Amino acid sequence: MAVPKRKMSRASTRARRAQWKAEAPTLVKTVENGKITYSLPHRAKVVEDSAGTALFMEYKGRKVADV
């Protein structure tokens, strides 16, 4: 098992940890029936009827799964 050979200083530890940052996901803006929606790229979207009931999932305009 790997064991540290030397103590890591507080400054080095904090500098290393500072590199891990959360970043906002990139969103794609689409217009559907005059309504603007934002979604994640390369994801299947749920197609709903006028009542809001989920019908099926589509990707690139093609039906890919039933809901």
Side-chain angles (χ1 to χ4, degrees):
M1 184 193 248
V3 178
K5 299 230 181 208
R6 299 249 189 264
K7 179 177 180 178
M8 192 171 200
S9 70
R10 183 180 296 169
S12 294
T13 301
R14 289 180 178 167
R16 178 176 43 82
R17 286 181 183 158
Q19 301 305 315
W20 290 87
K21 297 177 186 71
E23 55 186 45
T26 56
L27 298 176
V28 177
K29 181 168 113 176
T30 57
V31 179
E32 297 173 9
N33 301 329
K35 187 171 125 182
I36 297 173
T37 58
Y38 294 92
S39 61
L40 294 170
H42 304 290
R43 299 289 193 281
K45 68 175 185 173
V46 177
V47 177
E48 300 174 339
D49 61 0
S50 60
T53 307
L55 300 173
F56 58 90
M57 296 182 79
E58 74 173 7
Y59 181 73
K60 291 187 178 179
R62 290 177 291 195
K63 181 180 174 182
V64 293
D66 290 324
V67 178

